[in-house]
Amino acid sequence: MINEELNTTLNNVKEAWKYPELFENVSSSERWLSGAAGGYLLLKGITSIFSHPVIGLTSAAIGAGLLYRGITGYCPLKDLAEQRSLEDVVDEVLVTETVVVDKLG
């Protein structure tokens, strides 16, 4: 089931590049914050890549992801979490016993 969810999320990422207005799952305030934080982390990661390579690459990768989220308004991790929460919803309720009470109280 996890491969199926990841494939769906990757297909949504591809479609989000083509049609960004259809796949927005991030509010405008989240977009601004993600864009600002992503740009900062990407810049700091690139400038510190030679002095601290692991921290620089990690910071640049996280910054690029946040910048993508801020520019497109689509977050693949949020999409994956929403797919998982939809699986937990019960489609039908099965009633096995009915109790009738004539007198209350």
Side-chain angles (χ1 to χ4, degrees):
M1 193 60 133
I2 292 177
N3 286 336
E4 189 175 305
E5 292 170 351
L6 288 175
N7 287 335
T8 302
T9 303
L10 288 176
N11 287 335
N12 286 349
V13 169
K14 291 176 189 175
E15 291 294 317
W17 275 109
K18 294 178 189 174
Y19 311 105
E21 66 277 355
L22 299 177
F23 286 91
E24 288 183 3
N25 63 356
V26 178
S27 67
S28 62
S29 59
E30 285 180 286
R31 288 181 75 172
W32 279 101
L33 288 172
S34 294
Y40 174 76
L41 284 173
L42 184 62
L43 180 67
K44 291 301 276 184
I46 289 173
T47 56
S48 68
I49 206 162
F50 293 111
S51 59
H52 304 286
V54 175
I55 295 172
L57 286 173
T58 304
S59 177
I62 292 171
L66 284 172
L67 196 58
Y68 168 79
R69 183 179 194 251
I71 290 171
T72 63
Y74 173 71
C75 181
L77 295 176
K78 195 171 187 178
D79 186 32
L80 189 62
E82 288 172 357
Q83 287 176 20
R84 288 194 168 205
S85 69
L86 290 177
E87 289 177 0
D88 295 339
V89 176
V90 178
D91 291 334
E92 60 186 43
V93 176
L94 180 62
V95 178
T96 58
E97 185 176 334
T98 305
V99 177
V100 179
V101 178
D102 292 336
K103 190 175 184 182
L104 295 175

